[in-house]
Amino acid sequence: MKCSLMNPLKGLAIAGLMANAGGAWALQTVEGRDGVSVDAAISIKEPTRIKVEGASITDVFGNIYSSNCGGPAPVATPKGGGANGVNYGGEVVLECDRDKGEIYVKPVGNGTKPVNLFISTANATYTLILRRVDMPADTIIVRDRAVAAATAATAANSRMGGAGNHVKSIKTLLAVMASDKPAADVRVQDVRRPVELWQEAQFMLLRTYASRGMVGEKYMLTNSSKEPMVLAEQEFDRDSNDVLAVSIENLNLRPGESTVVYIIRTEG
């Protein structure tokens, strides 16, 4: 069954779900991507709040017992009736906060089978596999790094005056970092500070470069293990989702070998 959050809600429904939620909300943050399944836990006795970081949930699809989200009524299963919009074979009660773009779910019955839900935003659709756990009320936050990074890049692009200027500015800064030639609009600072990365590698921040709302960082990475190391630019993304570009001179390192890593991120 699909439910939309775009229609007016019955406000008392959410209050009804939350009335028995004794204690404070906890928090689960899960990494999500469009079309990729993510695991989380929902309380078997209390409502669980679900939200997507930086986006509003617009649609929900799953085997829903009942909902007051304003979407179409649940379809009855062969074993049950569909009176009053109830799907007697459903697995979860769904309520929505349209203003905040969040949903609240509570499993039905005493089964142990995980609840599968598909939640959609304007940017992506996420598959949630929700395990039933005897725990207090909780909050699940779906974090999508790809969407957040795109949002950050769009903001940086706006500050720099358009897509063409944005890409040109990144390339210009990267050229300065690689050549170490002075540039009038780039502020350079020597750092030479070790940074914790992996147990198998030594990672040293050599210099930083600041220019036009961006900060460039030049690192030296050394393979300190006894095995060959294969690198990928994606491994140097950040939790803050502010990375605009990554460049690595040598992606394959034998034991003891080193390479320069360049990272450009938004300033702030």
Side-chain angles (χ1 to χ4, degrees), residues 60-62 64 92 103 105 115-119 126-128 130:
V60 182
F61 183 85
I64 297 170
V92 65
I103 64 174
V105 298
V115 174
N116 298 326
L117 282 184
F118 298 89
I119 60 173
Y126 307 99
T127 305
L128 303 183
L130 305 173

Side-chain angles (χ1 to χ4, degrees), residues 43-159:
S43 172
I44 59 176
K45 298 178 181 178
E46 310 291 353
T48 298
R49 172 189 179 210
I50 302 176
K51 63 178 295 184
V52 176
E53 187 174 78
S56 294
I57 299 173
T58 56
D59 292 287
V60 182
F61 183 85
N63 191 11
I64 297 170
Y65 177 85
S66 65
S67 167
N68 283 322
C69 294
V75 177
T77 64
K79 295 182 180 180
N84 299 319
V86 173
N87 170 20
Y88 294 121
E91 298 176 318
V92 65
V93 175
L94 171 69
E95 305 294 351
C96 308
D97 186 332
R98 182 174 60 89
D99 293 334
K100 294 183 178 180
E102 303 171 354
I103 64 174
Y104 299 82
V105 298
K106 185 176 180 181
V108 175
N110 299 318
T112 58
K113 175 182 175 293
V115 174
N116 298 326
L117 282 184
F118 298 89
I119 60 173
S120 296
T121 69
N123 303 306
T125 296
Y126 307 99
T127 305
L128 303 183
I129 301 176
L130 305 173
R131 295 174 285 103
R132 305 173 190 234
V133 178
D134 188 1
M135 66 182 193
D138 202 358
T139 294
I140 299 170
I141 297 178
V142 180
R143 175 180 294 163
D144 190 331
R145 290 191 181 190
V147 172
T151 301
T154 299
N157 175 30
S158 178
R159 291 197 301 270

Side-chain angles (χ1 to χ4, degrees), residues 199-203 220-231 250 252-260:
Q199 185 176 358
E200 301 84 2
Q202 296 177 359
F203 202 44
M220 180 65 69
L221 187 152
T222 301
N223 179 6
S224 57
S225 73
K226 297 181 180 180
E227 301 293 334
M229 179 178 292
V230 179
L231 304 173
N250 184 7
N252 297 277
L253 299 179
R254 289 177 294 187
E257 285 188 336
S258 300
T259 186
V260 176

